[in-house]
Amino acid sequence: VYVDSAHTTRSEDALYSKLYDNVEIYTNNSTTWNTGLLSNITLKNVEMNLFNSQPSGGGVKYIKADINLNGVDIGLLATHLMYNPDNSSTASYTQYRIAQMREMVEVMSDYDNVIMGGDFNTRDLSQIVEAGMQEAGYTFGNGGAFGEFLTYSRDLEDEAREDADGLKYPYDNVCVRGNKLKLQSFMPLYDCELSDHYPTITDIIVG
């Protein structure tokens, strides 16, 4: 990911490497499905995979990695799930997204403790339930005990757009599973308007 218009300086070198020991960023030039995983804890067994459930030629992916924190082995997954890039029907891309969440559950099924996070593009948080994540034992930062948070605002994307009508959705989430992990809080930073999504902070107790 470049931070200058001339494409000479990469964020991995100029910014992230000064703060994080481990940086994994994957891009696909033909799509907007960029996904990153940054950590100040050693990442092991890092891999990037495309979801099986997506239109032909799609670039929707996830990053998977292992960490050990406080003696607890944890599986990490970061992702940017399907949205509606080609004006296909709502039902079509919703079903792709639900199928991708099911894949996430399956991919991480061998781990005792799991943290998943990213842009789930869930306009309706019931999609997470339909995907079987709750049944698989996951608790949610967004849409769980802390309430529902609208983390995307079309107004932030482009105030000049005709459809910038205040539409807001609970797109972003952090989900955990395992008896060694407990979600302590989930909070969007509504005073930070750097993109069409608000950044979020999640506290997780490990041990």
Side-chain angles (χ1 to χ4, degrees), residues 128-129 131-138 140:
I128 295 176
V129 177
M133 295 188 68
Q134 189 174 45
E135 183 178 355
Y138 285 90
F140 318 120

Side-chain angles (χ1 to χ4, degrees), residues 16-170:
Y16 301 142
S17 62
K18 297 179 180 180
L19 300 175
Y20 301 94
D21 295 329
N22 298 268
V23 177
E24 297 292 336
I25 298 177
Y26 294 94
T27 63
N28 184 320
N29 292 333
S30 63
T31 72
T32 59
W33 306 107
N34 297 332
T35 303
L37 181 59
L38 291 72
S39 174
N40 57 8
I41 302 167
T42 301
L43 295 171
K44 297 181 179 179
N45 304 319
V46 180
E47 59 184 63
M48 184 278 291
N49 293 292
L50 294 171
F51 284 102
N52 294 319
S53 303
Q54 59 183 307
S56 177
V60 188
K61 60 181 75 72
Y62 62 86
I63 303 175
K64 178 175 170 288
D66 301 342
I67 62 169
N68 183 281
L69 181 60
N70 299 336
V72 178
D73 292 323
I74 302 171
L76 302 179
L77 187 147
T79 190
H80 183 179
L81 295 183
M82 185 76 188
Y83 79 115
N84 185 18
D86 56 1
N87 295 317
S88 57
S89 69
T90 298
S92 174
Y93 73 83
T94 296
Q95 291 308 308
Y96 277 124
R97 184 165 53 252
I98 290 172
Q100 288 164 8
M101 284 187 278
R102 288 174 177 155
E103 281 189 54
M104 289 160 51
V105 170
E106 178 62 26
V107 164
M108 305 304 286
S109 61
D110 290 337
Y111 289 89
D112 292 328
N113 298 282
V114 179
I115 301 173
M116 295 184 183
D119 178 359
F120 287 12
N121 273 308
T122 43
R123 295 187 178 188
D124 182 349
L125 289 171
S126 66
Q127 294 170 17
I128 295 176
V129 177
E130 185 176 347
M133 295 188 68
Q134 189 174 45
E135 183 178 355
Y138 285 90
T139 56
F140 318 120
N142 196 355
F146 310 119
E148 179 177 311
F149 300 92
L150 305 177
T151 59
Y152 163 84
S153 172
R154 187 172 289 175
D155 288 338
L156 293 176
E157 183 176 358
D158 188 348
E159 294 181 358
R161 280 175 45 169
E162 292 182 1
D163 58 355
D165 52 7
L167 290 178
K168 297 177 174 64
Y169 300 112

Side-chain angles (χ1 to χ4, degrees), residues 3 9-18:
V3 295
T9 304
R10 296 186 63 86
S11 57
E12 297 94 313
D13 302 323
L15 300 174
Y16 301 142
S17 62
K18 297 179 180 180

